[in-house]
Amino acid sequence: MIEQIKSWNRELKIGAFIMGLYFLWAIIWFVYSHFLAGTIVNPYIPSSSIEFELLSPGKEFIFGSDIYGRSMLEVLSQGLVYSLSVSFTVSFLSALIGVVVGYMTVEGPNSVKYISDLLTNLIFIFPSILIAIMVMAVTGQSVPGLVLTLVFTGWPAYARIARGETQRVMGLSYVESARAIGVGEYHLFIKTVIPSILPVLIVNIVLGVGGVVISEAALGFLGLGGSEYSWGSLLSMGKTVLLEAPFIVILLSVTLGGLIIGLNLLGDGLRDQIDPRKSF
């Protein structure tokens, strides 16, 4: 294990370290809110208190308090768990749909190829943030609505990657040999295509999570987020008291920026480490 870590490139080591800290933070808060201060059925959430409104960082509140008198540390922690949960769920579902659609655009019937290509291109030519605003306006502000919105705008990117990788894999000699001996399309997809494109897919999922974090924060900042603990919503709140309590915006910006940098470094490092196309 230690030898494997030593073989990692510098970006991968730094990205894994930063993301390790964020995941550790999220796990500690989840355990605290669901098992120590609250329960699984009734988890603890940061409580409001008007007497502690906009307190600067100090002994009582290490990161200060927001306009509702809530501890900024607790609010940031709740937002981190929410942001990671939404981002990984969206990226996984988008990749799942994108891989199936991308495969069908290569190996499906002509009518399916046409419809898949048309849908992918239609969603691509419109700015995703505009589509997200329209979908959120229809579905309403909720976590399921937000996930649906981000999956709707996110799967075409994975479909294009899956289509290119499927074309590459299907042209390999061992796949043609498998077809020649009668291996079915389903087994080819599950046992040949998926394992072959998995390294590329993992890299793009990690990079995609960073994009989802930014999109979710942007929607939250515009008032279209799925939770009051969205870091975008909190940034919007901090903007209104920027002169009185600048530490709110600074804390949120540093925390959000660190998460994005960690994800990008991890994704870039993984791409250099495991992407098979880098070996050519």
Side-chain angles (χ1 to χ4, degrees):
M1 182 66 182
I2 295 175
E3 290 301 319
Q4 284 182 336
I5 293 176
K6 284 182 179 177
S7 68
W8 291 0
N9 57 59
R10 189 169 58 181
E11 285 183 325
L12 183 54
K13 286 177 182 174
I14 298 173
F17 176 74
I18 295 173
M19 289 312 302
L21 292 179
Y22 274 99
F23 278 119
L24 181 62
W25 179 9
I27 291 169
I28 290 173
W29 175 254
F30 184 84
V31 171
Y32 174 75
S33 61
H34 286 76
F35 297 100
L36 300 178
T39 63
I40 289 288
V41 179
N42 187 25
Y44 170 78
I45 56 172
S47 55
S48 303
S49 177
I50 198 69
E51 61 182 305
F52 299 126
E53 180 184 334
L54 294 179
L55 292 181
S56 299
K59 289 183 180 177
E60 194 164 9
F61 294 105
I62 189 169
F63 287 163
S65 62
D66 67 2
I67 62 174
Y68 303 112
R70 300 175 298 188
S71 163
M72 278 303 296
L73 177 59
E74 294 184 352
V75 169
L76 281 170
S77 303
Q78 188 77 8
L80 175 64
V81 173
Y82 164 76
S83 183
L84 288 179
S85 303
V86 168
S87 301
F88 277 95
T89 302
V90 167
S91 296
F92 176 76
L93 293 177
S94 299
L96 189 65
I97 296 171
V99 167
V100 173
V101 173
Y103 180 77
M104 295 305 292
T105 58
V106 177
E107 295 298 311
N110 286 333
S111 57
V112 174
K113 289 181 185 177
Y114 176 77
I115 293 172
S116 302
D117 261 340
L118 184 64
L119 273 177
T120 305
N121 292 328
L122 274 177
I123 296 177
F124 246 107
I125 60 176
F126 286 103
S128 59
I129 192 70
L130 291 182
I131 297 177
I133 290 172
M134 285 191 293
V135 177
M136 284 298 286
V138 174
T139 60
Q141 290 180 246
S142 63
V143 175
L146 179 72
V147 170
L148 176 67
T149 299
L150 295 176
V151 169
F152 182 75
T153 58
W155 70 262
Y158 292 99
R160 287 196 166 183
I161 293 166
R163 181 176 61 181
E165 287 299 300
T166 301
Q167 286 172 332
R168 179 181 68 82
V169 172
M170 286 302 182
L172 299 176
S173 56
Y174 70 87
V175 176
E176 293 175 355
S177 301
R179 274 183 160 165
I181 62 173
V183 176
E185 290 296 328
Y186 176 76
H187 284 89
L188 273 178
F189 177 66
I190 296 295
K191 295 187 176 179
T192 304
V193 175
I194 293 293
S196 299
I197 70 174
L198 200 56
V200 177
L201 204 57
I202 290 172
V203 170
N204 282 280
I205 286 175
V206 173
L207 289 170
V209 169
V212 175
V213 169
I214 294 173
S215 298
E216 186 280 321
L219 287 171
F221 190 81
L222 293 172
L224 296 170
S227 166
E228 63 177 304
Y229 297 103
S230 161
W231 284 350
S233 301
L234 296 170
L235 266 174
S236 179
M237 176 265 291
K239 176 174 65 73
T240 62
V241 291
L242 186 60
L243 296 179
E244 301 167 69
F247 63 86
I248 294 178
V249 171
I250 294 171
L251 277 172
L252 285 162
S253 301
V254 170
T255 312
L256 180 58
L259 181 60
I260 301 299
I261 290 170
L263 285 167
N264 284 338
L265 285 174
L266 185 62
D268 285 340
L270 279 174
R271 182 166 51 197
D272 293 339
Q273 196 80 17
I274 67 173
D275 192 338
R277 294 174 298 186
K278 288 286 181 181
S279 60
F280 295 112

